[in-house]
Amino acid sequence: MTVKISNKIVGYRVKKADTDAPSEQQAAQPESSLVKMNEYIERPEFLVGTTYKIKPPVAEHAMYITINDIILNEDTDHESRQPYEVFINSKSMEHFQWVIALTRVISAVFRKGGDLTFLVEELRSVYDPNGGYFKKGGVFMPSLVAEIGAVIEKHLKAVGLMESEEMSETTKRILAEKRAEFEANNAKATNDDKAGDFPPNATMCGKCSTKAVIVMDGCATCLSCGDSKCG
């Protein structure tokens, strides 16, 4: 049937075939069906957990931090592990009240979903008015809460929710050479002084808070993270 156009044409568009619509809906369907972390997800009977042990000098006994993860979109290309809850146990009862309160708040934040890096930043920025302490290996912790934050950061990196800043093999080799040369030039150190992970006269790094900064040829370099004043 011929259709006569009597009015002036002011615009036009090409109408796609009806067969295109179902394919677009099918393409968008997998994305919309993905399960994302939110507070309405019910706790399953089984969760995957990891326990970390810390022994801060400000506490009489060791503390065990258990973080349980829920697996979302299992057996699909979008499978992921998301922290669901945290428990902190210790024989010491002096920190009992605030530890229980902290675990409940952190668990609630976990179940909300979204970006959890802010939680690590907030915990690691807590400073003890009585002063912090050095962990084994020379890493400085400003407070016990900050060390709990460091454990959560370690776990988030392990499950892939935070990127881990890995040094290149070249950087590791250069730092190993610098360390060997520095220790050779300071061979007078006693055996007790050499018990640590880094030279005994190393100073604290402002970037990674580790007593691993040495000065060689007028250049301050951190043997832990590679930070250098010389670029």
Side-chain angles (χ1 to χ4, degrees):
M1 178 179 178
T2 304
V3 179
K4 183 178 179 181
I5 302 175
S6 58
N7 297 330
K8 184 178 180 181
I9 298 175
V10 296
Y12 69 92
R13 64 184 177 88
V14 179
K15 184 178 180 181
K16 294 184 178 180
D18 295 338
T19 55
D20 294 341
S23 61
E24 292 178 1
Q25 293 177 358
Q26 291 175 0
Q29 190 173 9
E31 184 67 28
S32 61
S33 62
L34 292 180
V35 179
K36 296 183 179 180
M37 192 65 192
N38 62 77
E39 59 186 324
Y40 300 108
I41 294 180
E42 294 185 4
R43 187 190 189 281
E45 294 293 330
F46 175 80
L47 291 175
V48 180
T50 306
T51 300
Y52 303 86
K53 177 184 177 181
I54 61 174
K55 182 59 179 74
V58 295
E60 184 179 356
H61 300 282
M63 303 182 75
Y64 298 87
I65 304 173
T66 300
I67 302 177
N68 289 332
D69 302 323
I70 187 173
I71 301 178
L72 301 178
N73 306 299
E74 192 171 2
D75 298 328
T76 69
D77 295 337
H78 303 281
E79 180 176 311
S80 64
R81 285 179 60 172
Q82 298 282 336
Y84 188 86
E85 60 192 9
V86 60
F87 300 100
I88 302 178
N89 296 307
S90 176
K91 290 181 180 179
S92 177
M93 299 296 291
E94 58 180 325
H95 305 295
F96 179 78
Q97 286 189 2
W98 68 262
V99 165
I100 292 297
L102 187 64
T103 57
R104 291 184 178 180
V105 171
I106 294 175
S107 297
V109 174
F110 282 168
R111 289 191 286 270
K112 282 282 187 179
D115 186 11
L116 299 176
T117 55
F118 83 95
L119 181 62
V120 173
E121 295 173 0
E122 292 296 332
L123 294 177
R124 298 203 64 167
S125 63
V126 176
Y127 286 81
D128 189 335
N130 296 322
Y133 55 88
F134 284 95
K135 290 175 56 181
K136 184 180 180 181
V139 180
F140 178 75
M141 286 294 160
S143 66
L144 178 55
V145 175
E147 187 164 2
I148 295 174
V151 170
I152 294 176
E153 179 181 12
K154 182 179 180 180
H155 185 79
L156 294 181
K157 289 180 179 179
V159 299
L161 295 182
M162 287 184 67
E163 293 185 1
S164 181
E165 298 179 0
E166 292 289 341
M167 289 187 293
S168 65
E169 293 298 325
T170 303
T171 303
K172 291 180 181 179
R173 177 177 54 80
I174 293 174
L175 291 179
E177 293 174 354
K178 280 197 171 189
R179 178 171 182 169
E181 183 180 352
F182 182 84
E183 290 178 346
N185 295 335
N186 296 270
K188 294 181 180 180
T190 64
N191 293 331
D192 293 337
D193 290 335
K194 290 182 179 179
D197 291 343
F198 299 102
N201 52 348
T203 57
M204 190 166 70
C205 174
K207 183 179 180 180
C208 67
S209 300
T210 306
K211 286 187 71 174
V213 177
I214 62 171
V215 179
M216 287 188 63
D217 302 324
C219 181
T221 304
C222 178
L223 298 175
S224 177
C225 67
D227 185 53
S228 176
K229 300 299 181 183
C230 302

